[in-house]
Amino acid sequence: MEDIRNKKGFICDMDGVVYHGNRLLPGAREFVNWLHENNKSYLFLTNSSERSPRELRQKLLRMGLDVGEDHFYTSALATASFIASQMPGCSAYVIGAAGLINALYDQGITMNDVNPDYVVVGETSNYNYETIIRAVQLVNGGARLIGTNPDLTGPSENGIVPACRAFVSPIELATGKSAYFVGKPNPVIMRRARQLLGIDSRDLCIIGDRMDTDVIAGIESGIETVLVLSGVSQADTAEQFSYRPNHIINGLGDIVP
């Protein structure tokens, strides 16, 4: 555990690591306090695209944690930045929540349900049959299909729920086109996370509850990996993959001395 504690910077997932829905997980408060007390650099890097950094800050405040906006980076921000770099001033048809729509607006991307350059899909409670039909029509018409993240499922207070990849799959199947996913483990978002922290990969640690996003992202980025069992992973989950994390812990509290 000392290997983890001696790192200068931490990249930490949120859903299933810090909280489930609106319930703070055991050890999360102590872990954040320990980061502050030891002057550690840290970034909450989430594949969820629903909320902006400001909304994530407010969410943690309601749970009793005071974390500045600059400590959050989301797949929505990474997706908007990526699309703007590919085609400045483009337009998009968006199936997603306010966090994604606002991130796209901030990058100069306009909403378009007639002839958009992109169809962008993230998590949202407004997902329905009509939006799927329109997305299929637009992708068949030439729009490029983008997913904010490749998570098939995610943890919630009421158990496992569908996530972005599950929302994108019907569109892929109906069009025969594969989506490009920007969130973890894509190097695009990992490179930006390292830039924001300004710390060498060897001095970083990534903490998450998913082998197929958090852990593989760390392995491919040369960052020490920690799998927590407070989200979608169980004690035997790592055995199902051809790679392993450096550490497996029950929750964030295990890191605190």
Side-chain angles (χ1 to χ4, degrees):
M1 200 62 67
E2 283 304 312
D3 287 349
I4 303 174
R5 294 170 185 154
N6 289 333
K7 295 296 182 182
K8 295 179 180 178
F10 292 81
I11 298 172
C12 189
D13 189 25
M14 299 193 73
D15 293 312
V17 180
V18 177
Y19 53 66
H20 281 171
N22 292 305
R23 177 171 61 87
L24 198 66
L25 288 170
R29 187 188 313 279
E30 291 78 7
F31 176 68
V32 172
N33 289 339
W34 176 79
L35 291 172
H36 289 160
E37 290 166 1
N38 290 273
N39 296 315
K40 301 290 187 180
S41 296
Y42 67 96
L43 184 70
F44 286 117
L45 185 67
T46 175
N47 264 359
S48 173
S49 62
E50 295 175 273
R51 296 179 178 87
S52 67
R54 179 175 297 179
E55 289 167 326
L56 289 171
R57 168 172 161 72
Q58 291 296 324
K59 181 181 175 75
L60 289 188
L61 271 175
R62 289 192 294 272
M63 299 180 193
L65 285 181
D66 189 359
V67 177
E69 286 182 41
D70 57 335
H71 289 289
F72 299 97
Y73 195 70
T74 72
S75 67
L77 295 174
T79 299
S81 178
F82 169 76
I83 292 174
S85 71
Q86 290 275 299
M87 190 180 295
C90 66
S91 64
Y93 175 72
V94 182
I95 301 175
L100 176 57
I101 294 171
N102 289 335
L104 293 167
Y105 273 133
D106 288 344
Q107 289 288 343
I109 298 163
T110 55
M111 303 300 108
N112 180 352
D113 62 357
V114 178
N115 58 348
D117 302 294
Y118 293 92
V119 168
V120 185
V121 182
E123 295 86 0
T124 176
S125 58
N126 295 323
Y127 185 85
N128 57 56
Y129 188 53
E130 286 71 24
T131 58
I132 298 172
I133 291 175
R134 190 62 187 143
V136 167
Q137 293 170 340
L138 295 171
V139 171
N140 280 334
R144 299 161 179 83
L145 181 59
I146 301 286
T148 58
N149 69 80
D151 292 2
L152 188 59
T153 61
S156 75
E157 290 177 284
N158 300 314
I160 300 300
V161 296
C164 183
R165 191 170 200 126
F167 293 170
V168 173
S169 290
I171 304 168
E172 291 181 312
L173 291 169
T175 61
K177 304 289 179 62
S178 296
Y180 181 71
F181 295 96
V182 180
K184 296 175 292 185
N186 193 320
V188 167
I189 194 171
M190 294 302 297
R191 189 162 54 245
R192 181 57 178 156
R194 293 198 303 274
Q195 289 172 350
L196 289 169
L197 286 170
I199 294 175
D200 188 271
S201 297
R202 292 169 295 183
D203 294 320
L204 286 172
C205 175
I206 183 169
I207 306 169
D209 67 324
R210 300 190 69 102
M211 287 290 293
D212 55 352
T213 55
D214 305 301
V215 172
I216 190 62
I219 290 172
E220 293 179 348
S221 301
I223 298 173
E224 192 158 344
T225 56
V226 180
L227 178 70
V228 298
L229 305 181
S230 52
V232 301
S233 293
Q234 307 299 320
D236 61 346
T237 299
E239 304 299 330
Q240 302 168 23
F241 293 81
S242 299
Y243 51 88
R244 289 188 60 80
N246 296 111
H247 309 273
I248 299 177
I249 62 176
N250 290 314
L252 290 176
D254 290 355
I255 298 174
V256 181

